[in-house]
Amino acid sequence: MSEDNPHSTNGSSNKSWLDKIAQAFKGEPRNREELSEVISDAEQRDLIDPQTKEMIEGVMTVSEIRVRDIMIPRAQMVTIDIEQDVDQFLPIMLDNAHSRYPVISEDKDHIEGILLAKDLLPYAFLPGKELHLKEVLRQAIIVPESKRVDVLLKEFRQRRYHMAIVVDEYGGVSGLVTIEDILELIVGEIEDEFDTEINESDEIRPLNKHTYSVKALTEIKDFNRFFESTLNEDDSDTIGGVVLRAFGHMPATDDEITIENMRFKITNSDKRRIIQLKVTLPESED
């Protein structure tokens, strides 16, 4: 084969999927909608597999999401009080099986630092060594709710930290965010042996005070009970069915609609069904 003509017909089948996508982009998409169509077309032509398509779309989504949309809300933060001794905070760590814990004084608005579980290992092999939490804490990184997720991911990588404390415009702690939360936007849910039991039943998960992630297969009666709403339980069995009827057609990912003052955004779907929703309540809701 001549080196001047490396891309012969016989060699074209060996192109990577990135080469094929680049070739598909010769039409120069002018906006995100056209780019999404090119990616969908690439999947239909078997240039990329469905998992690759989801990852590419996840990368595109990350640039438009703010930290407030993915953070673990303040109420769900598992913290350790700096005045607790080992016998008090060790059961908390064993029950939750996290690798990092915010350490507080007084309340969650006073973050003293971050405790890494691995930093306790030396004390396990030195029984006589006294542990003082202040001596093993790592610095807490503070980020605003409005920070773009893609910018935060870049900082996570450059500065080599994995958790940040999220604050509101008044400086109060509103939650925390980890690098895993961001990666899940790109590669999908990251499960481990501690997540299995929770994820199977966690149909409605709070993202912040007014926003929730809801599985489309959540039964409408359970949805109404949780949100104290009055959506019609006769027309559809699931909240995904209610949203589908409201659209009047199969919506695409990122499409939004308002039903009974609640804002529904399609966060995951395919050509046949709605998979995941983001539900935003009115700001006046408590």
Side-chain angles (χ1 to χ4, degrees), residues 3-263:
E3 292 182 357
D4 294 333
N5 186 24
H7 299 297
S8 67
T9 303
N10 293 333
S12 61
S13 60
N14 295 323
K15 290 181 181 179
S16 70
W17 62 269
L18 284 173
D19 293 330
K20 295 174 181 178
I21 291 177
Q23 185 177 14
F25 281 175
K26 289 182 178 179
E28 296 184 0
R30 292 165 294 183
N31 51 51
R32 176 169 175 170
E33 288 72 23
E34 291 185 3
L35 179 57
S36 295
E37 290 177 3
V38 171
I39 295 171
S40 297
D41 183 66
E43 180 196 11
Q44 293 172 4
R45 294 172 181 268
D46 292 328
L47 299 180
I48 60 175
D49 57 39
Q51 292 74 26
T52 301
K53 172 178 176 288
E54 292 177 3
M55 290 180 63
I56 296 173
E57 291 177 339
V59 172
M60 294 166 57
T61 300
V62 163
S63 64
E64 299 181 350
I65 295 179
R66 304 288 174 172
V67 170
R68 69 169 69 90
D69 297 320
I70 66 166
M71 69 180 184
I72 298 170
R74 175 189 176 112
Q76 293 187 339
M77 288 172 53
V78 180
T79 60
I80 293 172
D81 193 290
I82 198 165
E83 299 298 332
Q84 290 178 320
D85 57 32
V86 177
D87 293 336
Q88 292 174 308
F89 69 73
L90 192 56
I92 297 175
M93 300 179 69
L94 294 175
D95 287 342
N96 291 276
H98 297 324
S99 59
R100 293 166 174 80
Y101 296 84
V103 176
I104 64 172
S105 61
E106 298 182 29
D107 57 35
K108 291 180 180 179
D109 284 325
H110 297 80
I111 305 292
E112 298 294 326
I114 304 297
L115 174 64
L116 272 61
K118 69 177 183 179
D119 287 342
L120 299 179
L121 288 177
Y123 295 89
F125 299 99
L126 297 171
K129 187 174 181 180
E130 188 175 358
L131 171 64
H132 299 284
L133 274 181
K134 290 183 178 180
E135 298 177 358
V136 296
L137 294 186
R138 306 290 184 97
Q139 179 184 3
I141 305 300
I142 309 297
V143 299
E145 290 181 347
S146 58
K147 194 178 193 71
R148 274 176 31 192
V149 169
D150 60 334
V151 175
L152 179 59
L153 177 59
K154 183 177 181 181
E155 292 181 3
F156 273 149
R157 296 178 58 195
Q158 290 179 338
R159 300 173 63 180
R160 297 185 180 181
Y161 59 86
H162 290 234
M163 174 185 287
I165 303 299
V166 185
V167 297
D168 58 26
E169 59 185 314
Y170 303 106
V173 172
S174 53
L176 63 82
V177 62
T178 68
I179 192 170
E180 181 180 288
D181 297 323
I182 302 177
L183 295 178
E184 285 184 343
L185 293 175
I186 301 174
V187 302
E189 193 76 16
I190 301 174
E191 299 184 1
D192 58 29
E193 63 271 28
F194 302 106
D195 293 333
T196 303
E197 181 177 352
I198 297 175
N199 289 337
E200 290 178 352
S201 60
D202 195 11
E203 295 183 333
I204 302 175
R205 180 169 59 90
L207 300 176
N208 55 45
K209 185 176 180 181
H210 297 287
T211 309
Y212 297 79
S213 178
V214 180
K215 291 182 179 179
L217 291 179
T218 301
E219 294 189 10
I220 189 60
K221 62 180 181 181
D222 294 333
F223 183 92
N224 282 338
R225 185 183 306 115
F226 185 91
F227 291 103
E228 298 183 354
S229 54
T230 57
L231 298 178
N232 194 328
E233 299 182 15
D234 297 328
D235 293 338
S236 302
D237 295 328
T238 66
I239 186 59
V242 171
V243 173
L244 181 60
R245 288 176 64 89
F247 272 105
H249 62 274
M250 177 56 66
T253 299
D254 293 334
D255 284 353
E256 299 185 12
I257 194 170
T258 299
I259 307 174
E260 287 194 4
N261 293 326
M262 292 182 289
R263 192 72 177 168

